[in-house]
Amino acid sequence: MSYAHSIGSQSYRFDSLRVLMAAASPARSGDRLAGVAANSAQQRVAAQMALAELPLKAFLSEAVVPYEEDEVTRLIIDRHDAAAFAPVSHLTVGDLRNWLLGDAATPAALAALAPGLTPEMVAAVSKLCRLQDLALIARKCRVVTRFRGTLGLAGCLATRLQPNHPTDDAAGIAASLLDGLLLGSGDAVIGINPATDDVPQVVRLLQMLDGVIARYGIPTQSCVLTHVTNTLRAIERGAPVDLVFQSIAGTEGANRSFGIDLALLGEARAAAQALGRGAVFDDGQRGEHVMYFETGQGSALSAGAHHGCDQQTLEARAYAVARHFSPLLVNTVVGFIGPEYLYDGKQILRAGLEDHFCGKLLGLPMGCDCCFTNHAEADVDDMDALLTLLCAAGCNFIMGVPGADDIMLNYQSSSFHDALVMRQLMGLRPAPEFEAWLQTMGVFEPGEGSRLAEGLPAPFAEVLQRLEHGQ
């Protein structure tokens, strides 16, 4: 099916929904690299106008990636909730944007609508939105998940404590871990990217993190960000696995390049849930959100599996994969893949807000790694702007990296101090269970959501002394 729109005497035609979506997408280097971007600003506006007039039902009859060739497309179509979609089924994409900005789009209404929206629908709406639209709409979406703590509550901002080390040195990891805890970081997860990605090392790291969490009674969860097959082998060896990590993408081919498919992810989720490691909460429910996914615009293009689609639409499709497995955390590592896909700070900022918006509308617990590689045309001011906008938009969690500089992955992220600033600036607090622990341990002042206590808390003095002596 083709689509058209005229601007003055110039008529623009788009040969398919896939072409229309790509032409309507805000400019970014990855789409230009793929040869799918609009060839002028005027053509982009024409595509956005045509997209605004498109009925939402069109997304249920025309797939951007063929149904017969792609299990992600089949997941999207076969699992679509027609009843949840019914209240907005008569709208166009532009109408949906207007409705989302209105007072009728309450948190409860958005939660009920989420199963009825497809990734392509929310990607289309995002292409019509200004930055303030992306923030305002996403802020109304609340997605709460639990394992040992409660994440995603209104007025809260959680952090992933990321104590990576280039040689997986235990003392180096411990120093970063202590630094993060003393600055109130770690309620979303304590997650290590291993430098040595073999199963015995993964098991050692998991045991170390589990020992720290158990010894100090920290109401958080650990994760070693290894391939899902390594985590399955670690579970078979009796390792204390809290969360299963995996990078995911929006097409079957891109996921195959990661060495995964939907069946493998389902196997891993079942294995982790069978361990029963989540806390039992006051309402008697056990925290059973055991998956942690990371995504990033450009991954399908990087894998040569983009099917002629724009990278933002495919990123939204990755969220259909995540949604299927009810994760505790989903994190868009927005600037990590590099300037080939998001060239500069402006593109990274827009992409981060798009990803957060799309994930939240689809019912996901979205976080964002506000990051850039050292060869991108971006700097810390760009990341401060993205971080501030995301926190205003109700982002579930951000990264906490020592000094914002990950010396193992060699990229720039957000620091423990950044989280403190955002909590103070926006009046945000850690997850409630973690906040109570911080106050009990003497890290935060009693009754204060983000005010550090004076001096070194006594429980950590011995740890610091041992680290200073290289133990």
Side-chain angles (χ1 to χ4, degrees), residues 11-230:
S11 180
Y12 296 88
R13 183 166 295 277
F14 309 95
D15 293 335
S16 66
L17 180 58
R18 177 176 62 249
V19 172
L20 176 66
M21 292 279 280
S25 194
R28 57 208 57 191
S29 53
D31 291 341
R32 185 175 299 174
L33 178 66
V36 303
N39 55 33
S40 68
Q42 195 170 24
Q43 186 189 42
R44 181 175 297 110
V45 170
Q48 290 170 341
M49 295 296 289
L51 189 61
E53 297 165 356
L54 185 68
L56 292 174
K57 289 180 179 178
F59 292 96
L60 302 176
S61 59
E62 184 177 355
V64 296
V65 180
Y67 181 93
E68 298 78 13
E69 300 176 15
D70 189 90
E71 69 171 357
V72 177
T73 300
R74 293 193 290 274
L75 175 69
I76 292 167
I77 298 300
D78 295 348
R79 295 301 181 105
H80 180 251
D81 189 329
F85 178 59
V88 299
S89 62
H90 61 291
L91 299 180
T92 65
V93 175
D95 292 334
L96 179 59
R97 171 187 172 274
N98 293 339
W99 182 84
L100 291 169
L101 288 168
D103 293 338
T106 63
L110 291 170
L113 177 62
L117 296 176
T118 69
E120 292 85 354
M121 291 176 191
V122 300
V125 172
S126 77
K127 297 176 194 299
L128 307 182
C129 288
R130 296 170 57 181
L131 296 184
Q132 63 179 304
D133 300 338
L134 297 173
L136 179 61
I137 294 167
R139 185 179 178 85
K140 296 192 283 186
C141 301
R142 279 293 155 198
V143 184
V144 178
T145 56
R146 297 194 295 187
F147 192 78
R148 292 197 186 96
T150 305
L151 305 175
L153 294 172
C156 291
L157 173 66
T159 57
R160 169 188 161 189
L161 203 172
Q162 185 170 309
N164 296 342
H165 191 277
T167 63
D168 287 340
D169 177 72
I173 292 172
S176 294
L177 182 57
L178 178 62
D179 187 21
L181 291 173
L182 289 174
L183 291 169
S185 184
D187 43 348
V189 63
I190 301 173
I192 299 174
N193 298 87
T196 307
D197 201 18
D198 64 84
V199 176
Q201 179 65 357
V202 168
V203 172
R204 284 192 291 272
L205 291 173
L206 285 167
Q207 290 171 337
M208 182 186 75
L209 291 178
D210 184 61
V212 171
I213 290 172
R215 177 175 179 179
Y216 295 101
I218 310 173
T220 189
Q221 36 286 329
S222 68
C223 185
V224 174
L225 282 70
T226 185
H227 193 270
V228 62
T229 53
N230 287 341

Side-chain angles (χ1 to χ4, degrees), residues 340-394:
E340 299 84 0
Y341 307 97
L342 295 169
Y343 177 71
D344 57 16
K346 181 180 177 67
Q347 292 187 9
I348 293 170
L349 187 150
R350 169 87 196 187
L353 289 168
E354 287 171 348
D355 296 350
H356 178 253
F357 168 94
C358 289
K360 281 291 189 66
L361 276 180
L362 292 170
L364 287 176
M366 289 300 297
C368 183
D369 191 342
C370 301
C371 64
F372 63 98
T373 57
N374 291 315
H375 61 312
E377 290 294 322
D379 59 26
V380 293
D381 285 342
D382 296 314
M383 297 306 103
D384 281 353
L386 173 57
L387 183 60
T388 303
L389 282 167
L390 281 167
C391 290

Side-chain angles (χ1 to χ4, degrees), residues 156-329:
C156 291
L157 173 66
T159 57
R160 169 188 161 189
L161 203 172
Q162 185 170 309
N164 296 342
H165 191 277
T167 63
D168 287 340
D169 177 72
I173 292 172
S176 294
L177 182 57
L178 178 62
D179 187 21
L181 291 173
L182 289 174
L183 291 169
S185 184
D187 43 348
V189 63
I190 301 173
I192 299 174
N193 298 87
T196 307
D197 201 18
D198 64 84
V199 176
Q201 179 65 357
V202 168
V203 172
R204 284 192 291 272
L205 291 173
L206 285 167
Q207 290 171 337
M208 182 186 75
L209 291 178
D210 184 61
V212 171
I213 290 172
R215 177 175 179 179
Y216 295 101
I218 310 173
T220 189
Q221 36 286 329
S222 68
C223 185
V224 174
L225 282 70
T226 185
H227 193 270
V228 62
T229 53
N230 287 341
T231 303
L232 279 168
R233 295 189 187 103
I235 290 174
E236 291 170 357
R237 297 187 183 194
V241 171
D242 289 340
L243 303 182
V244 175
F245 167 81
Q246 183 56 48
S247 295
I248 57 173
T251 69
E252 180 179 338
N255 284 325
R256 283 181 177 172
S257 77
F258 292 152
I260 63 167
D261 58 20
L262 298 180
L264 179 60
L265 294 177
E267 178 186 351
R269 178 174 181 251
Q273 285 188 326
L275 299 177
R277 292 178 57 81
V280 177
F281 292 84
D282 291 341
D283 58 8
Q285 297 297 309
R286 180 179 293 278
E288 291 191 343
H289 297 108
V290 297
M291 304 299 284
Y292 174 17
F293 295 119
E294 287 190 346
T295 67
Q297 289 193 27
S299 58
L301 174 58
S302 179
H306 62 98
H307 294 268
C309 296
D310 69 272
Q311 63 187 38
Q312 190 266 329
T313 297
L314 293 184
E315 171 72 5
R317 282 169 53 94
Y319 303 151
V321 176
R323 180 169 64 175
H324 185 59
F325 297 102
S326 302
L328 181 77
L329 306 165

